Amino acid sequence: MLHIFDPKTQTDRDLGTPPPIESGHTVTLTIDGQSVEVPEGTSVLRAAAIAGIQIPKLCATDNLDAFGSCRLCAVEIEGRRGLPASCTTPVAEGMSVITQNERVAKLRRNVMELYISDHPLDCLTCSANGDCELQDMAGAVGLREVRYGYEGENHLDAEKDTSNPYFTFDASKCIVCSRCVRACEEVQGTFALTIDGRGFDSTVAAGQDEDFMDSECVSCGACVQACPTATLMENSVIEQGQPEHSVVTTCAYCGVGCSFKAEMKGNTVVRMVPFKDGHANHGHSCVKGRFAFGYATHPDRLTAPMIRNHIDEPWREVSWEEAIQFAAERIKAIQAKYGKDSVGGITSSRCTNEEAYLVQKLVRTAFGNNNTDTCARVCHSPTGYGLKQTLGESAGTQTFDSVMKADCIVVIGANPTDAHPVFGSQLRRRLRQGAKLIVADPRYIDLMKTPHGGEALHLSLRPGTNVALINALAHVIITEGLEDRMFIAMRCDSGEYAAWNAFIREERHSPEATEAITGVPADKVREAARMYAEAGNGAIYYGLGVTEHSQGSTMVMGIANLALATGNIGREGVGVNPLRGQNNVQGSCDMGSFPHELPGYQHVSQDGPRKAFEDAWGVTIDNEPGLRIPNMFDAAIDGSFKGLYVQGEDIAQSDPNTQHVEQALGSLECLIVQDLFLNETAKYAHVLLPGSSFLEKDGTFTNAERRINRVRKVMPPLAGKEDWQITQDLANALGYRMDYNHPEEIMNEIASLTPSFHSVTYQKLDELGSIQWPCNEEHPNGSPIMHEVDFPIGKGKFVLTDYVPTTERTNRRFPLLLTTGRILSQYNVGAQTRRTDNQHWHGQDWLELHPHDAEERGINDGDWVGLTSRAGNTVLQAKISTRMQPGVVYTTFHHPVSGANVITTDNSDWATNCPEYKVTAVQCEKVAQPSAWQERHRKQHRKQWSLLPKNAPAELVE
Amino acid sequence: MSSKHSEQLVKMINQIAANTPVQGGGPDAAAEAVAAHVRRFWAKPMRADIRAYLQDGGAGLTELAVEAIKRL
C-alpha cells in the first residue's frame, strides 16, 4: 500500500521574500486592519503572507532576494506617497498597509495587461496549465481584456532552446521577471544566466547568448523551479502533463541527502522537485537528484530472480522461492564443507538503514560470523576510525547549515561542487558573503573560482603528502602561539596534549622542512595556518582525498588535532566535516556493517552491548572481528572464503586492483548479487536477486550530517520485493526466523539496541521532518551540533601523527602519479547515471594531464593514451588540462570499460584497509588500441550479456 | 596459506607498526599498541596466519611487528 505524505506546512508555502537576518526585535504593523507582529526587516509582502493575506506577485519568491521589478505586489501604505512594491518595502512600527482597494487593483490589472499583451494565449495547450503563476495572477487581479491587442511588436515567435535533455527554454513565454537569473546566482551560485539587451529587447540568455548545453549551466534545475510560467519547463511535464499527487522522499545519490517531492501520476514519477522544507537542501537540487531518476524504470532493470550453477552457464529465470532456496542451500553446503567462517556479506551504502541493518544481522545470525562489511570500507572507513579515536564518535560534527557561520572554510581532498553539489552551492553562498577559502588538493577545483567569492588560497600538494601538510599547519599554529589555550585546557586531555605539543613543535614538521615533501611553498602554509586559526570560526570539510590514502586514518586524526588545537569544535560555524560519498555511507556504518562493530559502533568484543544483541536476536555472536572486504578477497584467493552475499555494491568496478578482485570473485562457489542491474560483480554471480530502487521502498537514509531522512515508497517494486524483504526471505531460508512486516519495525529494533538511536521513531521523523543522531533520552529531538559540552570519551584526544610516506612511489618506469575522482553528472560506478541523459555531459572517462607531461610524450587532446601502473594497464582518451600540477594525472571511474581500477593498487590505509585510490605511480604513452584487459572486459561483457534469458533487456549499456 | 596471502599480511602488520601512534612508554608500549590494534580489527584466522608465519621464520617482518605478533 502506498502512503501519501505531502505535508502542507507553513514552510512549503511561498511567502514571497526570504526571512530577514535575525535581529531579535519584532515590529507590529497593521495590514488590512489586522495587527501583525513580525521580525524586524521582514518585507510587507512576507508579513502579509504570514498573516494569511496573499498579495499578487510575479518576480518575488521566498528563496530569492526581493527584486521589485514586476510591480504586481504594489500596496498602499498610509502616509506614504505612491504605491510601493511590498516585496522591497520593509515593515515599520505602526505602519498601516492596505493590500486591496480600487487604486491598487487598477494598477495590478494594468501591469498584467502589459504582460499578457506579449504572451501567447495558448493556456489550454500550455505545459504549465494548472501550474502557472502568470495564469493565477491574471485570475487574481481580474484581468478581462487586453486593450493593446496582440498585433504589435512582440516575442511570440522566439525560438525554443531544446539543447538540455531535461528541460526546454521557451523564450516566447518569458516575462523577464529574472527569477531564473537570480536563482542561478543566489541559489546555485553558477551565474550562467543573464538578462541580455535592454528595455523591450531584454531576454534571458545562457552564457554568452549560447544554448543552455553550451553554456556554464550545470542543469541543477533551480531556474526551472523558479520560473513562474512555462518558459523553463521539465520535458517530462511537457510530455506527460501535470502530476496529480506527490510524496516527500530522500534522494538516493550523494551524501547530502536532499529531500524531494516525487511528483506522480499514478505510479509514474513525472518529476522530482526539491522539497523546500528539506533540512539538508532547503529546496535546492543538482542534475542527478533533480533529473537523473530515469534509471529506475530503465529497460536494463533486472525484474526476475535468476540462478545458475556456474558463471559460464546461461542464467535461468526462476521464482523468488526457488532462487532464495537455491542461494540458501549453496551457502549451507559451503559452510558444512569449509566451516561457518567461509561465507560473508556486504551491506550497501545505497540501500536504507533498515536494509543494511538486516544484512549484517543476517550475517551475524544466519551465517553465524562477523564477516560483514560495507562499501564505506573503500571510502570513509578512516573517518570512522580517526574521529572515534580523537573525538569519540565516528561522525561529522556539524549541520550543513553551520557553514553559513564559518569565517574560514578549509576544503581538503574534496570537490563539493561536483561530488556534493547542493552543499557546494551553500558553501559558495557563504564564500560570496566573504568567508575565506583554503583548498588543499593536488587539483584545481571549481570552488576556487567561485564567482564573487572572497579570498582563496590553493595549497596544491603532491598526492600522498596530506599528513606532512596537516602537521605543518599545526606546527605553525603551535609555534606562533595561535592555539586556543582555554579550549585545550577545558576540553582536551592535558597529558596527550603536552605530548602532541612537543611532537608538533619539532622542526621536521615546519613548513620549511616539509616543503620538499608536499611541494607547497612554506609561506603559503604559514598564511593558511594563520587564516584558519585567526578566522574566528574555522570549519574543515574533507572528502576521499583525505581518506583514500595509506595514511587516511592518520590524516583524519591530524584534521581533528587541528580543530581541537584551535578550539574549532562544539559550536556553529566550525567543526570537522567528512563529506560522505554515497547517500547512506554514514547510515551503513551506523548500522553495524563493519566486521568489528555492532550497530552504533559497539565493538563485538564488548560483552555488554553484545549480550543485548544476543538476547534480542536469540543467538550467540562471535566476539572476534570478522573479515573486511579486502581480507575477504585475499581469503577467497587463498581458498578459505567461498560464499558472498552482496547487497547493492559493484565491488568488481569500484574496488581497487580489478584483476585481483576478479580473481577473488572467480574463486567463489556461491556469489549472491542483489542489485538493480547486471553490474560488473553480477557477471561472477550464481544467484541474481533483483533489487528495488529508492522509489520502490520505505526506510531511512542518514546523510553526511548524521541526518536521518525518511525514504518513502512512491511505486511498487518492479520485481515484487523491497530489498529488506529479500534479505528477510534469505534469512528464513537459512533457518533464522525474521518476520518484519514493515521497515518501521526494523527501525524500532535498531532504536532499542543502539544508544544513539534510542528515541528515533518513524512518527518522530514525520513530525520533525528529519533527525540528526544522537537522538536519545539526553537529546530527544536529535543533535545538530556535536561535542558542545563534552566528548563521548570525556576529553578530546590529541594523537601523534607521524608522516610515513606511501610505498607507492614514482620511479623512472612509472614517473607520474595518478589520482582519481568524480564528476558532477555521474555517480560512483555510474550504474544509475549512465542509464540516464546525464550521459550527455560525461559519456566517457578522460585522462586529464598537464600540458607539460603531454608535450613530453607527444600526446594531444583527444589522443588515446595507454596508462600503466604496477597493477595493470588500460587505455583512456586524453584531455590536456592545467587543473593538474605537472607530474600528476587524473581520471574518473564512472565507466566500467575505462578500467580506472585496473590501474589502482592493493595498497591501503594502515588502520582500516581503505584502498589508496588517490596515489598510483603510472606511465602514459600514446597508443592505437585498447588494453588487453579492456579487450577481455568487452568479450566478457558480451558473453555475460548473452547468458541472460531471451526476455532480458536487449539494449547493451557498456 | 599462499605466499601472496602471507605477503599481504606482512605488508599490513608492518604498516600498522610504522603508523600506530604511541605516546611514550618505550618499545613495550609500542608493541602492545600494535598488538591491540590487530586484536581489535583483524579476524581470528588472519591473526593465526601471521602467528604461524612468524613461527616459520617471519621473513620481512619489522622488529616492532615481530614483538607485536608475539603478544597476540
Side-chain angles (χ1 to χ4, degrees), chain A residues 380-456:
Chain A
H380 267 290
S381 49
T383 290
Y385 174 85
L387 295 186
K388 183 115 180 165
Q389 296 293 312
T390 48
L391 309 180
E393 193 60 90
S394 299
T397 60
Q398 309 297 114
T399 61
F400 287 136
D401 287 350
S402 155
V403 78
M404 298 311 288
K405 295 202 171 155
D407 302 308
C408 175
I409 299 164
V410 186
V411 177
I412 311 176
N415 187 6
T417 53
D418 275 62
H420 302 86
V422 169
F423 175 66
S425 289
Q426 191 173 25
L427 216 158
R428 280 186 153 168
R429 205 170 310 137
R430 184 59 186 161
L431 295 178
R432 289 198 302 277
Q433 291 174 354
K436 293 174 180 175
L437 173 70
I438 299 166
V439 170
D441 200 300
R443 189 163 170 265
Y444 184 89
I445 59 170
D446 284 349
L447 205 58
M448 287 296 301
K449 50 174 187 184
T450 292
H452 305 287
E455 199 179 327

Side-chain angles (χ1 to χ4, degrees), chain A residues 186-380:
Chain A
E186 295 173 30
V187 179
Q188 166 58 25
T190 296
F191 291 70
L193 303 181
T194 189
I195 300 291
D196 205 27
R198 297 199 305 185
F200 186 77
D201 294 327
S202 302
T203 52
V204 170
Q208 303 290 315
D209 206 9
E210 299 152 284
D211 282 346
F212 269 75
M213 273 306 266
D214 296 332
S215 74
E216 307 93 321
C217 167
V218 292
S219 200
C220 69
C223 57
V224 181
Q225 186 66 9
C227 181
T229 70
T231 310
L232 282 156
M233 181 59 82
E234 296 92 346
N235 290 343
S236 58
V237 174
I238 295 173
E239 286 153 17
Q240 300 170 52
Q242 292 292 328
E244 39 81 13
H245 75 272
S246 69
V247 181
V248 175
T249 189
T250 305
C251 179
Y253 281 119
C254 77
V256 176
C258 296
S259 298
F260 277 88
K261 283 206 283 189
E263 297 200 344
M264 312 286 300
K265 260 182 188 309
N267 286 336
T268 304
V269 179
V270 177
R271 64 178 169 191
M272 296 292 283
V273 177
F275 185 45
K276 207 168 150 188
D277 199 23
H279 297 167
N281 59 319
H282 306 295
H284 190 36
S285 59
C286 79
V287 63
K288 295 189 283 285
R290 179 73 155 93
F291 296 116
F293 55 88
Y295 71 87
T297 48
H298 193 277
D300 283 357
R301 277 287 299 273
L302 299 169
T303 53
M306 289 184 270
I307 57 172
R308 60 183 174 182
N309 285 311
H310 190 273
I311 62 168
D312 290 327
E313 283 179 9
W315 285 103
R316 243 176 351 107
E317 267 189 22
V318 293
S319 66
W320 275 106
E321 292 70 26
E322 190 177 345
I324 296 284
Q325 206 50 46
F326 179 88
E329 279 166 14
R330 283 223 157 186
I331 292 289
K332 281 194 233 172
I334 289 170
Q335 287 190 298
K337 189 170 170 190
Y338 301 100
K340 75 173 167 57
D341 293 337
S342 58
V343 299
I346 298 177
T347 77
S348 176
S349 292
R350 295 180 199 175
C351 285
T352 63
N353 284 318
E354 293 76 359
E355 288 163 345
Y357 174 86
L358 229 52
V359 170
Q360 62 85 32
K361 180 175 177 181
L362 176 144
V363 171
R364 294 191 156 111
T365 55
F367 287 180
N369 61 45
N370 282 320
N371 292 336
T372 169
D373 208 354
T374 183
C375 24
R377 173 66 52 211
V378 299
C379 65
H380 267 290

Side-chain angles (χ1 to χ4, degrees), chain A residues 528-557:
Chain A
R530 291 168 195 147
M531 261 168 83
Y532 172 69
E534 293 175 335
N537 283 343
I540 302 176
Y541 293 84
Y542 71 88
L544 305 181
V546 159
T547 55
E548 291 175 345
H549 286 275
S550 65
Q551 280 203 296
S553 291
T554 310
M555 180 59 180
V556 171
M557 295 189 288

Side-chain angles (χ1 to χ4, degrees), chain A residues 656-871:
Chain A
N657 196 351
T658 306
Q659 298 181 80
H660 180 72
V661 178
E662 288 173 345
Q663 192 191 349
L665 295 178
S667 309
L668 297 173
E669 291 182 11
C670 181
L671 175 59
I672 306 163
V673 168
Q674 183 174 320
D675 210 281
L676 302 181
F677 303 106
L678 182 85
N679 61 18
E680 297 304 302
T681 309
K683 292 169 183 169
Y684 295 88
H686 306 89
V687 183
L688 260 181
L689 303 173
S692 51
S693 79
F694 77 113
L695 297 167
E696 298 157 32
K697 56 193 174 190
D698 279 299
T700 55
F701 292 151
T702 306
N703 77 354
E705 21 157 41
R706 296 168 278 106
R707 188 182 299 285
I708 309 164
N709 270 315
R710 275 284 272 119
V711 177
R712 295 185 180 87
K713 185 171 166 179
V714 304
M715 59 173 75
L718 222 57
K721 283 185 194 290
E722 300 179 31
D723 287 281
W724 63 271
Q725 291 173 312
I726 303 169
T727 306
Q728 171 160 296
D729 288 349
L730 184 58
N732 286 329
L734 285 162
Y736 180 80
R737 188 78 200 142
M738 288 189 191
D739 51 8
Y740 305 100
N741 296 301
H742 191 272
E744 184 171 10
E745 295 172 14
I746 306 173
M747 179 51 85
N748 291 343
E749 182 176 313
I750 294 165
S752 71
L753 292 165
T754 311
S756 50
F757 277 64
H758 268 175
S759 300
V760 176
T761 63
Y762 275 25
Q763 191 188 342
K764 190 175 272 189
L765 282 165
D766 282 352
E767 284 165 11
L768 299 178
S770 70
I771 299 170
Q772 286 176 275
W773 67 259
C775 174
N776 46 30
E777 296 75 8
E778 210 179 326
H779 308 279
N781 287 339
S783 315
I785 307 290
M786 289 194 80
H787 316 311
E788 286 177 311
V789 181
D790 55 13
F791 296 95
I793 46 172
K795 300 275 187 184
K797 273 172 70 96
F798 282 89
V799 175
L800 306 190
T801 52
D802 251 318
Y803 167 64
V804 179
T806 171
T807 53
E808 182 65 14
R809 294 184 195 163
T810 54
N811 58 19
R812 284 179 61 185
R813 209 172 136 219
F814 302 110
L816 303 169
L817 285 179
L818 168 76
T819 186
T820 60
R822 294 156 193 245
I823 200 154
L824 170 68
S825 54
Q826 297 281 3
Y827 176 68
N828 204 271
V829 293
Q832 293 137 288
T833 43
R834 278 186 284 112
R835 290 178 171 90
T836 69
D837 280 327
N838 279 25
Q839 283 287 83
H840 287 276
W841 284 275
H842 189 77
Q844 66 178 92
D845 294 317
W846 297 83
L847 182 75
E848 280 185 30
L849 71 170
H850 190 272
H852 174 78
D853 297 322
E855 194 184 345
E856 271 195 339
R857 291 163 178 79
I859 294 168
N860 294 310
D861 228 13
D863 281 349
W864 289 98
V865 177
L867 185 66
T868 309
S869 73
R870 293 177 180 98

